[in-house]
Every structure is written in C-alpha cells, then in structure tokens.
Amino acid sequence: MRLDELLEELQARINAARGTRDRVHSLLEAVVSVGRELDLSQVLRRIVEAAALLVDAQYGALGVIGPDGRTLSKFLTYGLTDEEIAKVGPLPAGHGILGKLIRNPEPLRLADLTADEASYGFPPHHPPMRTFLGVPIRVRDEVFGNLYLTDKHGGQEFDAEDESVISTLSVAAGVAIDNARLYEASQRQQRWLQANAEITNSLLSGSPRLEVLELIARRAEEITGAVIADVSVPVDGTDDLIVELACGADGDTRRGLVVPVEGSLCGAAYKAGAPVTTAGLAEDDRYTSGSRVFDGLGPAVAVCLGTAAKDTRGVLLLARRQGEPVFTEGELEPLLAFAGQAALALELAERRNDAEQLALLEDRDRIARDLHDLAIQRLFATGMTLQSAARLVQNESAAERISRAVGDLDETIKIIRSTIFGLRAREEGTAPSLRAHVARAVGETATTLGFPPRLSMEGLLDTDVPAQVGEHVMAALTEMLSNAARHARATRVEVSLQATGDEVILTVTDNGRGIPAEGRRSGLSNLEERARSLGGTLKIERPDGGGSRLVWRVPLTPGL
C-alpha cells in the first residue's frame, strides 16, 4: 500500500509537471502571438484572447485607460457575442470593480466579485459573473490599461499561478503595445511627410491657392482620423474669422460661417498663436460663441497656420466623432510641423500671386501706352481723313454714311480711353475706377463662394457713370454676391455690368436653388429701395435652367 501511495504521488507530480510544461508552452505561444502583430487594435484583441485561453476563463476584457486617468476610453471583450453586447448597452466606463483596479494598479483576485464592497452590480441582460482576476498592463512607466478575466471553467477560483501567468503575459503585452505604438507613429510620420511633399509639388505646379488649401485640409483630416477639417481666415477690419474652406460632413453648411475670436476654439488658437485642444467640441463650456453647427462632435484641435501669432494666416480646425480618442501630444507634434509647412506654402502662393499681379499691371501699362500712342492716334487720323473726304462727296447718302462712320470712330475712341483709364487705375496717385472696384469685389467673393464668379463689363463705366451712382452700384453688387454666397448654394455665378449711355444695368445670375417665395427678403428689399431712390428698378427672374437672376438698373442721372 505504501508503494501504491508513492506511485500515485509520483504520477500526480508528473501530471503537474506536464501541466506546468503545457502552460509554459501556451504562455510562450501567447507571447509570440501577441508580439507578432503591429496594428494596435489587433494587438489588443490578441492580448485579451490569449489571456482568457491561458487561464481557461469564460469571459475576458481589456480596458484602455483614458487621458483623464480615471475612466476607460476603450473596452474590448472576449466571450460575448455581438447580440449580447448590444443587449447589455453602453460598455463600462471604469466604475465599480473596474475602477478599483484603475485607482490601485495591482493584481486583484476575487472569489465572488459581487460580494466586494466596490461592486456596482450588473446592468440588465448582463451575463452573471462570479470569480474575477484583474491585472494591469504597463507600457514603460505608464499604466496603459487592465486585463479583466471572469468565471474560470469548472467553477474553480483563479489561483496564484493564474495570476502569475497573466502578470507575465501583461509584461509581454506592454512591449507589444509599445512596439505597435512606435510603428503607428512612424507610419503616421511617413504620411505627414508624403502630404508635405504633395503640397509642395502642387504649389510648384501652379495650382490655385484655394486648391492647395483644400489639399492641406483633406490630408490633415485623413491622417488624424477627423470627420471635419475647416480652415478659417481673419476678416479685415473685424475681430472675427470666416470659414474659407470646410471639408467633411456638412461642409456646405459651415463654409462662409463667421467665427468670433472670443469664445471659440479657433479664436483661442488664433489669439494664442498655439494649438488648443478640447475633449468635446460641442460640450466644452469654454467655447460657446457662434453657431451650433459643431453639435455632435467630440475631440477637436485648432492649429494656427503660421510660425507666430502675428504671422498667422488662418486656423485649421480638426474634429473627431464623439467617443473617439482625444488629440495627444504625440499627434500634435507632427501636426504642428505640418501646419508650419502649410503656412509656408500659403505664403509662397501669395508671393507668387503678387508677382503675377505685378506682371499683369506692367502688361496693362504697356497695353495702355500702345493704345494711346498708336491706336487712338491712328483713329484720329482716319477720322480727320474721312471728314475731309466728306466735303468732296456729292452724293448725300454717301456723305451721311461717312458722317456716321466718323461718329462711330469718336465713340470707339471714347471706349478706348475708358479702357486706358481702367488699365491705369492702380497707378500710384490714381483712385481705383469703377471697373477696378467691381473686378476686385467679384474676385474677393471667390473666397466665400468657393469658386470665382464670371464677370463681364461693357460701356463707358469709368467716364459716363457718376461717382454717386458708382457707389450705389458697388453697394448693390456686394449685397447680391453676399446673398448668393449665403443662400443660393450655387456652383456658378455670373456678373454683368453695362453702361448704355442712359442707364447702368447690374445683373447677377446663379444656378442655385432659387429664391423661395416664403423666404426672408430683407436683402432684396434693400436692393429694391436703393434702386427706387435713384429712379431705377429691381427685377427678379428665374432662368430656364433654374437658379435666380437679379437685374438692378438705375439712370445715370440720379433721381430721374
């Protein structure tokens, strides 16, 4: 009998040794499996699966601690189906037993978790759980999250050996998570470098400023995982910003939106000349000014496009969905470098535009000189020759035709002179002409419309249109373009200005949604009243292709 007992004890020790060998082998396989992945989400999934299998747990979970250090920002589960997760409802935020492990990051074993004083109980439809094992996961000196395991198969409790195995796995998990983070950071840095190169190539190829600006916003949106990317620029003469470019969801709603500097995330970044972040754009009590178009958005960051506060050319706003991670310091560093590169790109675009404008003005001066010195002189000579020849013509019909030709030449000379005045309007000491004012106003509207309107001008606008009438023309044009930008939602706008000799006619046509009969008409009333005060009219038409056409006409002599 003594021999049988010894044999049984030997067999038990052999079985225990085999079990230990098998468990060590399983642990090594789990460590290799966890370390094989480089994608962070896959690494976390492998960790919780391996932990549950190593200790024969029915349920497992991995909670990632949020930036506040008190709650969970991510919660991955094992052992629950999608249907069961949906019935349980919102995933745990880190209270009760889970919060106990967050506050005290040390291994925790419980024979009955429902009996612990920190237990909050389970929500409806949650499967019953009793035994519990929790182990923290550390990445270098930081507690990244916790492993939670419940209900060991067979109804047994988790023992010290289970705790040791999971603690060992958590060390390997910390290394794997750190590697995945480094890989993710290197991949993100590579994407930033590619985006910078793409922007530089776009500028060197001569792409328009607005197109480059959109490229900057879209690449930042893609790399950071944001759902919106807006670029706001300062409004001259005010303390406001205006959204020049809006990418992502509901971009048309935000484009052209006026953003107050005081009480807004973009305004705070603009004033400080430094990035400003928030964990929830819609709920942050610090930024309550302006429209509520950002409702429903979560973590956000506003970054200046410039190297210093005084050199800021705009503000880039990026926002993620609610419930997604906040923008970390590791993300801000490459984003700041990208914003600085984008600012240099915009400055280069502005300098190139200035150079093009200078070349255009020089070309205008040359054309004006040629018209004055060559074309007008030749027309004068031709007119005088015809006048001399008219005296020698006996046929009355032929003489009348020559007289009309001389009159046409005079009108042509007037038109050429008006054109010369327009070309030289920007010379030093010369006030801008009506043509120059209109061209500038139409060009500036491209920022809020998102595209440049088409412009055509006819007649002696700079000579026949009195200054008083010209001021009203500019006011009416500004009102019409503003209405088109704010309400029309058009993709094409055409502006026509004509001086016919008796009146000036301003026409603005768009292909937008038209003017609703029940909509606000305060702007149209102002236009109509302005025309009536000068003895003119405002006519509202609907083109065949849809949209609207406003025809504003007044006499050249006000009050008639």
Side-chain angles (χ1 to χ4, degrees):
M1 293 180 64
R2 179 61 180 165
L3 181 60
D4 291 340
E5 291 177 356
L6 290 174
L7 289 174
E8 289 177 1
E9 183 179 353
L10 178 61
Q11 185 64 43
R13 291 189 178 186
I14 292 174
N15 292 337
R18 286 178 177 173
T20 302
R21 181 200 63 186
D22 293 341
R23 174 165 270 192
V24 170
H25 183 69
S26 299
L27 178 60
L28 291 175
E29 285 185 345
V31 169
V32 173
S33 174
V34 167
R36 187 181 296 122
E37 293 288 345
L38 287 176
D39 180 75
L40 183 58
S41 60
Q42 291 297 324
V43 169
L44 300 180
R45 183 68 63 186
R46 285 286 182 92
I47 291 171
V48 67
E49 290 177 357
L53 292 174
L54 280 173
V55 297
D56 200 22
Q58 185 175 353
Y59 303 108
L62 192 156
V64 180
I65 299 176
D68 60 4
R70 300 187 303 272
T71 57
L72 300 175
S73 62
K74 184 180 290 188
F75 197 80
L76 291 83
T77 62
Y78 170 83
L80 293 174
T81 64
D82 293 339
E83 291 77 10
E84 289 174 326
I85 294 175
K87 287 182 179 180
V88 170
L91 295 174
H95 304 295
I97 297 294
L98 306 188
K100 185 175 182 179
L101 197 60
I102 293 174
R103 293 186 296 272
N104 183 27
E106 298 293 337
L108 177 65
R109 278 186 291 134
L110 298 173
D112 186 357
L113 62 89
T114 61
D116 191 271
E117 60 182 9
S119 177
Y120 271 31
F122 297 114
H125 308 293
H126 194 287
M129 297 179 181
R130 191 178 68 84
T131 57
F132 175 85
L133 172 61
V135 176
I137 299 175
R138 286 182 170 84
V139 178
R140 299 184 184 181
D141 296 329
E142 169 196 359
V143 178
F144 175 82
N146 297 305
L147 272 171
Y148 308 109
L149 302 161
T150 61
D151 286 7
K152 190 169 184 176
H153 286 99
Q156 301 178 17
E157 296 180 14
F158 294 104
D159 55 24
E161 187 176 346
D162 294 328
E163 179 182 319
S164 177
V165 168
I166 297 303
S167 296
T168 303
L169 177 65
S170 70
V171 174
V175 175
I177 291 170
D178 193 30
N179 289 338
R181 279 177 161 182
L182 292 173
Y183 176 76
E184 192 176 69
S186 67
Q187 291 293 102
R188 188 165 53 244
Q189 183 65 29
Q190 180 66 25
R191 295 182 69 187
W192 284 123
L193 292 174
Q194 291 175 351
N196 281 328
E198 188 176 0
I199 292 168
T200 302
N201 290 336
S202 180
L203 279 170
L204 294 178
S205 64
S207 299
R209 174 184 175 278
L210 198 61
E211 185 176 316
V212 175
L213 204 62
E214 182 176 3
L215 181 61
I216 291 171
R218 291 200 180 280
R219 291 297 174 267
E221 178 187 17
E222 293 168 2
I223 296 174
T224 61
V227 292
I228 70 164
D230 293 355
V231 177
S232 302
V233 296
V235 180
D236 293 337
T238 70
D239 292 331
D240 297 329
L241 304 172
I242 187 170
V243 179
E244 182 178 3
L245 186 74
C247 299
D250 299 324
D252 292 339
T253 303
R254 300 190 308 278
R255 189 182 299 113
L257 180 71
V258 175
V259 181
V261 170
E262 297 293 337
S264 67
L265 187 71
C266 290
Y270 179 72
K271 287 177 62 178
V276 179
T277 61
T278 177
L281 185 59
E283 296 82 15
D284 200 317
D285 295 335
R286 296 173 295 171
Y287 312 114
T288 57
S289 296
S291 173
R292 304 304 301 174
V293 296
F294 300 114
D295 286 348
L297 294 175
V301 60
V303 183
C304 291
L305 298 178
T307 55
K310 63 179 180 179
D311 297 327
T312 298
R313 283 173 165 73
V315 179
L316 172 63
L317 172 69
L318 300 168
R320 292 170 173 160
R321 294 186 180 90
Q322 283 184 332
E324 294 191 357
V326 298
F327 289 86
T328 63
E329 291 294 331
E331 290 179 295
L332 290 183
E333 186 176 349
L335 179 58
L336 283 173
F338 176 76
Q341 178 74 13
L344 291 176
L346 293 177
E347 183 175 358
L348 176 60
E350 291 174 4
R351 295 293 179 268
R352 186 181 64 193
N353 184 66
D354 291 343
E356 292 174 352
Q357 289 294 323
L358 183 60
L360 177 62
L361 293 176
E362 291 177 351
D363 199 38
R364 285 180 174 181
D365 286 342
R366 179 188 60 78
I367 294 172
R369 287 194 301 270
D370 291 346
L371 286 174
H372 183 273
D373 297 342
L374 300 176
I376 289 182
Q377 299 303 324
R378 182 164 294 184
L379 288 173
F380 264 127
T382 303
M384 294 178 66
T385 301
L386 288 175
Q387 283 180 330
S388 300
R391 301 191 188 99
L392 304 177
V393 175
Q394 301 298 324
N395 187 289
E396 291 184 3
S397 177
E400 183 179 354
R401 289 184 179 181
I402 292 176
S403 179
R404 285 201 303 269
V406 172
D408 291 341
L409 287 174
D410 288 340
E411 289 298 320
T412 302
I413 290 172
K414 288 181 181 179
I415 293 174
I416 293 177
R417 279 178 172 168
S418 176
T419 303
I420 291 174
F421 292 151
L423 290 172
R424 290 179 171 173
R426 295 191 181 184
E427 291 182 359
E428 186 177 355
T430 303
S433 65
L434 179 59
R435 284 177 179 269
H437 276 304
V438 170
R440 183 181 305 165
V442 172
E444 291 174 349
T445 311
T447 300
T448 53
L449 284 173
F451 56 88
R454 294 183 59 185
L455 172 64
S456 63
M457 293 184 282
E458 299 179 19
L460 306 179
L461 295 170
D462 297 329
T463 56
D464 286 1
V465 179
Q468 179 185 357
V469 176
E471 292 176 0
H472 286 282
V473 169
M474 288 305 304
L477 175 62
T478 303
E479 180 72 26
M480 290 180 179
L481 291 176
S482 176
N483 288 340
R486 288 183 296 174
H487 307 302
R489 298 182 183 178
T491 58
R492 187 182 72 254
V493 174
E494 298 178 1
V495 178
S496 171
L497 183 62
Q498 298 173 294
T500 63
D502 297 325
E503 61 180 358
V504 60
I505 306 171
L506 173 62
T507 305
V508 175
T509 307
D510 66 70
N511 67 340
R513 59 179 183 176
I515 301 175
E518 68 281 359
R520 295 179 58 187
R521 305 176 68 87
S522 56
L524 298 178
S525 298
N526 293 338
L527 288 169
E528 190 173 9
E529 178 61 29
R530 187 182 294 277
R532 190 183 300 113
S533 67
L534 298 174
T537 61
L538 170 67
K539 187 176 182 181
I540 304 173
E541 302 175 349
R542 184 173 182 84
D544 295 337
S548 62
R549 179 185 294 117
L550 302 182
V551 182
W552 189 88
R553 60 174 71 207
V554 296
L556 294 179
T557 304
L560 295 181

